[in-house]
Amino acid sequence: MKIFKFGGASVKDADSVKNVSMVLQSQGFAKCLLVISAMGKTTNELEKVVELYFKKDNYQTEIEKIKRKHMEIAEGLFPENHAVFAEIDLFFDDIDSFLRRNKSPNYSFVYDQVVSCGEMISTKIVSEYLNEIQFTNQWLDARDYVKTDNSYREGIVDWGKTEEFISNLNKEICYVTQGFIGSDENNFTVTLGREGSDYSAAIFAYCLNADAMTIWKDVPGVMTGDPRKFKDVSLLSNISYEEAIEMAYYGASVIHPKTLQPLQQKNIPFYVKSFVDPTKEGTKVGASEKNQSEESYILKENQTLLKISTRDFSFIAEDHMSLVFGHLSKYKIKVSLMQNSAISLALCLEDKYNTVDELNEDLQKVFKTEIVKNVSLFTVRNAKMENIDKFYQEKSVLLEQISKNTLQMVTQ
């Protein structure tokens, strides 16, 4: 089987959905599974619904706006009496009904039940449209197949159960399913982390022993830098799994960090291609003699720099490190860069859930801390060390680290 993943930008309106069918026509629509994200900015809009709900504000108006947008997309794809309109109605009724009945104060739990509806609705629209134009497919509820624990918003996949369920699918037909979501043992929806649809595609690829997996983006493939942030970047046509994993870890937005290891385990080739021009070769990630190691640039913005030292000027020892990392885990804060000396520890942090102030408050009970928000982590992979001076120009560097052929600096 082939696995194709289409992100929000590739299904943002009726014309984009029609373009998906053109991409599939160019690739051959047979024995494939499509993983589809929520349409356009729907995830952000549903996040706002959850926010308003917890503020006890008027979230119903926001739900109505999102519903209207999906109805308009459907109107551009289907005749007016098509059954899909009733399906869309039902999904939005479910959101409203859940929020009216809900008694849970757990923000992450409520978030997952509401925000996941974006994927449910988008896949229903795409699946019905493809069937309408004779691209026969079966719609799947990913929650019946991808099983997780109950770590809401950051679900940990139960690979044993997931592989058992997915491997039973008929590999001779085509499916359309959701990215980003699974379910726990009580069948409550659990999301796999923001931008987790790539990871979903890799889960299905691994469990189906797919021939290949392709992610369709609005860029030509994996570039040596984000063209919106860096000049003179070029396409990387072939890179190794290891290089792609490093780039994703350092923050290359074109690949989700968790995506690559399941594919590498079974040596499944992974392609990043453009849905604007599907005939172009894009980037192939996998084992190849053609693999490149070009100088590449990654900018990870909206980071927080936290410097920690002991109050009595003693060394930062193992028990201190254990305490710090326990708190990081508690507040679901990820470390993008770490540097420690005998008496201090510097951490560049990704604060996805806006909990860094609470972390800092806890740490100040034991340590002295210094915090700088809204910094950026700039990484150069495969850096030409003889020319690194140019990267320091016009930058206020708060922290730097050089290891092998990688230069990293935290800048303000």
Side-chain angles (χ1 to χ4, degrees):
M1 285 192 91
K2 293 174 290 187
I3 310 296
F4 294 145
K5 183 260 173 174
F6 290 91
S10 63
V11 289
K12 65 182 179 184
D13 52 31
D15 285 342
S16 301
V17 174
K18 289 174 184 174
N19 186 64
V20 167
S21 71
M22 302 297 287
V23 171
L24 295 174
Q25 201 166 11
S26 75
Q27 302 300 303
F29 189 70
K31 296 183 186 178
C32 68
L33 181 139
L34 274 56
V35 173
I36 313 275
S37 298
M39 293 176 149
K41 300 292 182 187
T42 303
T43 301
N44 295 2
E45 291 157 1
L46 287 167
E47 285 177 337
K48 190 177 173 187
V49 169
V50 178
E51 225 173 274
L52 291 168
Y53 169 77
F54 275 96
K55 286 178 179 172
K56 298 189 171 17
D57 208 336
N58 179 16
Y59 62 84
Q60 286 95 342
T61 303
E62 193 64 28
I63 292 175
E64 200 52 45
K65 273 197 315 200
I66 304 166
K67 177 180 170 179
R68 183 68 249 147
K69 196 183 292 183
H70 283 80
M71 286 294 190
E72 283 168 9
I73 292 172
E75 283 161 10
L77 297 169
F78 302 97
E80 62 182 45
N81 60 348
H82 197 282
V84 77
F85 294 102
E87 294 268 13
I88 296 169
D89 259 332
L90 271 176
F91 280 121
F92 283 100
D93 287 348
D94 282 349
I95 297 173
D96 192 47
S97 172
F98 167 76
L99 289 174
R100 277 189 285 105
R101 289 192 329 268
N102 174 61
K103 298 294 180 196
S104 173
N106 183 337
Y107 192 99
S108 294
F109 169 75
V110 174
Y111 177 101
D112 279 5
Q113 311 320 301
V114 173
V115 172
S116 57
C117 292
E119 275 70 17
M120 303 301 288
I121 299 160
S122 69
T123 52
K124 184 56 77 171
I125 290 172
V126 173
S127 174
E128 292 286 356
Y129 174 70
L130 292 176
N131 278 323
E132 188 81 1
I133 61 168
Q134 309 306 310
F135 279 17
T136 306
N137 72 90
Q138 188 175 319
W139 182 83
L140 286 185
D141 187 334
R143 297 171 300 185
D144 295 335
Y145 296 88
V146 179
K147 306 308 285 184
T148 71
D149 68 354
N150 62 357
S151 303
Y152 299 109
R153 295 178 79 179
E154 287 283 350
I156 296 168
V157 174
D158 181 329
W159 282 94
K161 285 183 184 171
T162 299
E163 191 165 12
E164 181 190 333
F165 291 134
I166 292 177
S167 61
N168 287 326
L169 290 172
N170 181 352
K171 296 180 186 178
E172 299 301 312
I173 64 174
C174 295
Y175 297 96
V176 173
T177 194
Q178 306 79 37
F180 178 56
I181 63 174
S183 69
D184 63 18
E185 62 181 1
N186 294 313
N187 292 319
F188 286 118
T189 306
V190 181
T191 64
L192 305 179
R194 203 67 160 79
E195 311 295 337
S197 292
D198 291 3
Y199 184 37
S200 295
I203 293 166
F204 278 99
Y206 177 92
C207 296
L208 289 167
N209 295 309
D211 290 337
M213 171 176 145
T214 305
I215 291 179
W216 297 94
K217 310 280 285 186
D218 56 358
V219 291
V222 180
M223 313 288 285
T224 53
D226 185 335
R228 292 164 296 188
K229 296 173 183 174
F230 300 100
K231 294 176 185 172
D232 305 321
V233 294
S234 56
L235 177 71
L236 292 163
S237 55
N238 288 80
I239 55 175
S240 66
Y241 291 116
E242 291 79 8
E243 182 65 19
I245 288 167
E246 292 287 350
M247 290 177 76
Y249 175 76
Y250 289 128
S253 59
V254 77
I255 306 168
H256 188 275
K258 291 180 182 174
T259 303
L260 291 145
Q261 284 177 319
L263 302 175
Q264 186 182 22
Q265 289 278 328
K266 291 192 175 178
N267 203 23
I268 297 168
F270 169 46
Y271 298 88
V272 180
K273 299 180 79 169
S274 167
F275 61 74
V276 179
D277 189 351
T279 59
K280 292 276 177 70
E281 65 175 49
T283 300
K284 180 185 177 184
V285 179
S288 169
E289 290 174 7
K290 298 179 186 173
N291 283 342
Q292 299 157 278
S293 296
E294 302 290 326
E295 189 169 82
S296 303
Y297 320 105
I298 301 156
L299 187 66
K300 207 172 182 182
E301 296 172 306
N302 303 314
Q303 303 285 292
T304 297
L305 180 63
L306 182 64
K307 292 184 178 177
I308 300 164
S309 56
T310 55
R311 290 190 176 278
D312 59 359
F313 302 105
S314 61
F315 292 158
I316 292 278
E318 287 78 6
D319 56 337
H320 297 125
M321 298 280 269
S322 175
L323 181 63
V324 170
F325 278 88
H327 283 311
L328 288 167
S329 174
K330 173 183 170 184
Y331 291 111
K332 295 186 175 180
I333 293 174
K334 293 189 175 175
V335 179
S336 301
L337 179 68
M338 178 177 85
Q339 192 176 88
N340 66 299
S341 68
I343 57 169
S344 69
L345 176 65
L347 302 169
C348 180
L349 304 172
E350 188 173 352
D351 180 25
K352 276 207 280 190
Y353 303 119
N354 300 313
T355 54
V356 79
D357 289 330
E358 293 170 74
L359 167 74
N360 191 37
E361 209 175 294
D362 264 2
L363 290 174
Q364 282 180 337
K365 293 169 186 172
V366 181
F367 304 101
K368 285 198 296 184
T369 69
E370 183 188 331
I371 192 164
V372 187
K373 294 184 180 179
N374 298 316
V375 298
S376 296
L377 175 62
F378 175 53
T379 303
V380 184
R381 285 280 302 153
N382 304 308
K384 298 182 177 80
M385 291 301 174
E386 65 275 16
N387 298 325
I388 64 168
D389 287 352
K390 65 183 178 183
F391 297 119
Y392 290 86
Q393 291 167 16
E394 298 175 15
K395 286 189 180 75
S396 171
V397 179
L398 305 176
L399 185 71
E400 64 175 315
Q401 194 160 283
I402 299 173
S403 57
K404 290 187 181 176
N405 60 349
T406 300
L407 164 69
Q408 291 189 283
M409 55 177 78
V410 176
T411 64
Q412 217 168 8

